[in-house]
Amino acid sequence: MEDISTAILFAILAGLIIISGYFSGSETGMMSLNRYRLKHLSKTGHKGARRVEKLLSRPDRLIGLILIGNNLVNILASAIATVLGLRLYGDIGVAIATGALTLVILVFAEVTPKTLASLYPEKVSFTSSILLTLLMKLLSPLVVLVNFITNGFIRLLGIKVDHNGDDHLSSDELRTVVNEAGTLIPKRHQDMLISILDLEHVTVNDIMIPRNEIAGININDDWKSIVRQLTHSAHGRVVLYRDQIDEVVGMLRLRESYRLMLEKNEFNKETLLRSADEVYFIPEGTPLNIQMLKFQRNKERIGLIVDEYGDIVGLVTLEDILEEIIGEFTTSIAPSLSEEITPQGDGSFLIEGSANIRDINKGLKWSLPTDGPRTLNGLILEYLEEIPESHLSIKVAKHQMEIVELEENRIKMVKVFPKR
């Protein structure tokens, strides 16, 4: 390098530092990309995204190419800096050149380009992919050789080398992605997506209408009583049973019974029973995501939940599952609390004992325990381990609760204060 002027050597050194910064920024930009956005852009035909996706399909080769280029450039820059140091300062110039070059490379070829690349990964990656693709073709034999050696060494350490590059999200990871979407996804839509992901953790028992609240008609009642119950029922379907709910004989659609009343001259118990649908039974503990598919597959909208002994424990409808996803169906535009929860002027809430704990947590943003009893009544009874007396005050899950009303050995109304 003695015949090359000092000015030219400085120019070459500056160019090498710029190239080193290019490789450093390219590496950070490629690795900082959002892989799912990259896939989306690639599917929409974005040329830069397609180039980057192809390069990232073998990340070991991409990193090998970048490091080969970066190291060659840095070694050459070090050699030139040493020559310049010797020319300008003699023997001590080697130490000066080493220190100065280290600082320059650190600032201008490492920290600065990597910071910019992490801030703007798409711009850096899509632009740099043009040259990297060309270099990959030109240096392919060298890249393959280096990766063959490194992958072989990795295998000797007992580590499997996988180049599939497939990124799969678990349901918990997807939940985090949805929550972190911010304004990109409306809050209402985020809640619905999270609710869909939560279906696998919620069972039919969590949302069922309990056995004692199932609307049913005892077919052994006198005919006038049955007709009166049919005409005054507020439900679209009712259970027909004999003497007790476990002796169910069918599920009656009230619209069908009204049609029989209007069209048939003979409307009696026999015709009523013939018009009833076969009962659809659901094993207790069935996750909601599975039950929704079963409803769809069997073309059903309502079912009775039975325990391991075949006893009926509750009733669930397709509408109940949909409400878990989109919220309760209501004619009001503004969201409202459940009818079982009544706000009080002092900041407390009057809550019915039969209120579902999950519904309370959803409506009030509380965190009452849901791994045990499903109702507020059950939660308090489990805590007390006995039937309480009226006006008893207790503290459950950091919430002060006052039992306001008891009815037939169950808690009917509770006053609950927010967590302090």
Side-chain angles (χ1 to χ4, degrees):
M1 295 184 182
E2 294 180 358
D3 297 333
I4 303 176
S5 68
T6 301
I8 294 176
L9 288 177
F10 270 114
I12 295 174
L13 181 61
L16 291 174
I17 291 172
I18 292 173
I19 296 172
S20 178
Y22 161 78
F23 281 118
S24 297
S26 298
E27 179 185 6
T28 300
M30 292 285 184
M31 299 306 151
S32 300
L33 280 172
N34 184 322
R35 298 298 177 90
Y36 300 98
R37 175 170 170 77
L38 179 64
K39 288 181 180 180
H40 168 71
L41 291 174
S42 179
K43 288 180 179 179
T44 58
H46 193 287
K47 292 182 179 179
R50 287 184 173 179
R51 285 195 303 269
V52 172
E53 189 175 38
K54 186 176 181 180
L55 289 170
L56 287 173
S57 64
R58 286 297 301 268
D60 59 327
R61 290 187 178 179
L62 175 62
I63 293 174
L65 172 66
I66 292 174
L67 292 181
I68 288 171
N70 207 6
N71 280 286
L72 286 175
V73 168
N74 287 342
I75 291 171
L76 185 56
S78 178
I80 293 176
T82 301
V83 172
L84 287 172
L86 288 171
R87 283 189 182 183
L88 296 175
Y89 304 105
D91 292 338
I92 197 174
V94 175
I96 296 174
T98 301
L101 183 64
T102 300
L103 180 63
V104 170
I105 288 180
L106 185 64
V107 174
F108 296 104
E110 291 291 334
V111 177
T112 300
K114 287 187 175 183
T115 301
L116 290 173
S118 65
L119 293 174
Y120 307 101
E122 290 185 9
K123 291 182 179 180
V124 172
S125 300
F126 295 161
T127 303
S128 65
S129 64
I130 300 173
L131 181 56
L132 287 176
T133 301
L134 178 61
L135 289 174
M136 183 67 79
K137 293 178 180 178
L138 294 176
L139 301 177
S140 180
L142 180 59
V143 172
V144 171
L145 175 62
V146 170
N147 277 272
F148 176 77
I149 296 172
T150 55
N151 288 342
F153 180 69
I154 290 174
R155 290 190 183 95
L156 287 176
L157 296 176
I159 301 173
K160 293 183 178 180
V161 181
D162 185 10
H163 302 305
N164 290 333
D166 292 332
D167 295 316
H168 301 289
L169 287 176
S170 67
S171 58
D172 290 334
E173 291 169 337
L174 183 55
R175 186 181 290 104
T176 301
V177 171
V178 173
N179 284 325
E180 294 297 323
T183 56
L184 296 176
I185 303 177
K187 183 65 171 63
R188 177 65 174 165
H189 294 173
Q190 288 185 34
D191 292 340
M192 290 173 62
L193 290 171
I194 294 298
S195 296
I196 292 173
L197 293 174
D198 286 340
L199 287 184
E200 62 181 310
H201 303 299
V202 184
T203 68
V204 291
N205 299 65
D206 294 315
I207 66 169
M208 71 180 182
I209 299 170
R211 173 192 175 101
N212 63 319
E213 295 180 16
I214 295 177
I217 295 177
N218 184 359
I219 202 67
N220 287 338
D221 286 346
D222 64 88
W223 181 239
K224 287 185 179 180
S225 174
I226 292 175
V227 172
R228 184 167 59 253
Q229 292 178 69
L230 287 173
T231 54
H232 289 85
S233 177
H235 303 278
R237 299 190 185 196
V238 293
V239 177
L240 298 181
Y241 62 90
R242 297 187 187 275
D243 297 327
Q244 59 176 348
I245 194 68
D246 288 318
E247 300 295 329
V248 62
V249 295
M251 187 73 67
L252 181 67
R253 288 175 289 179
L254 290 186
R255 182 178 297 178
E256 184 67 16
S257 66
Y258 293 148
R259 186 184 65 80
L260 289 172
M261 288 181 185
L262 295 174
E263 295 181 3
K264 291 187 178 293
N265 295 326
E266 295 183 0
F267 180 58
N268 49 44
K269 288 185 180 181
E270 287 71 22
T271 56
L272 189 67
L273 286 171
R274 284 199 299 269
S275 66
D277 297 325
E278 185 178 348
V279 179
Y280 176 66
F281 292 104
I282 302 169
E284 68 173 344
T286 303
L288 293 190
N289 60 330
I290 294 176
Q291 187 53 51
M292 186 163 63
L293 293 175
K294 287 184 176 180
F295 271 144
Q296 183 182 36
R297 188 180 301 120
N298 296 303
K299 300 187 183 333
E300 297 284 352
R301 299 179 62 89
I302 187 170
L304 293 176
I305 302 170
V306 294
D307 62 15
E308 58 183 315
Y309 304 105
D311 295 331
I312 294 172
V313 296
L315 177 146
V316 69
T317 67
L318 179 59
E319 182 181 274
D320 294 329
I321 299 178
L322 293 177
E323 285 183 350
E324 279 295 304
I325 299 174
I326 65 176
E328 292 190 11
F329 297 111
T330 175
T331 55
S332 172
I333 296 178
S336 59
L337 294 175
S338 167
E339 294 179 356
E340 298 171 315
I341 305 174
T342 306
Q344 302 298 297
D346 60 355
S348 63
F349 297 88
L350 280 178
I351 306 177
E352 295 183 17
S354 60
N356 189 287
I357 294 175
R358 293 184 67 256
D359 292 338
I360 296 173
N361 288 341
K362 275 188 174 182
L364 300 176
K365 306 299 181 184
W366 290 354
S367 55
L368 295 174
T370 57
D371 54 351
R374 294 181 174 85
T375 65
L376 184 59
N377 170 59
L379 179 65
I380 296 175
L381 292 180
E382 182 185 60
Y383 178 81
L384 294 175
E385 298 182 345
E386 63 178 357
I387 305 297
E389 297 180 0
S390 183
H391 302 294
L392 178 65
S393 182
I394 59 174
K395 194 168 188 178
V396 180
K398 298 183 180 180
H399 288 270
Q400 194 66 36
M401 301 184 183
E402 181 181 337
I403 299 171
V404 176
E405 186 178 351
L406 288 168
E407 183 182 80
E408 298 180 354
N409 293 328
R410 69 181 181 90
I411 300 169
K412 185 177 181 182
M413 189 67 67
V414 183
K415 188 174 185 179
V416 185
F417 296 86
K419 185 166 57 176
R420 298 182 185 279

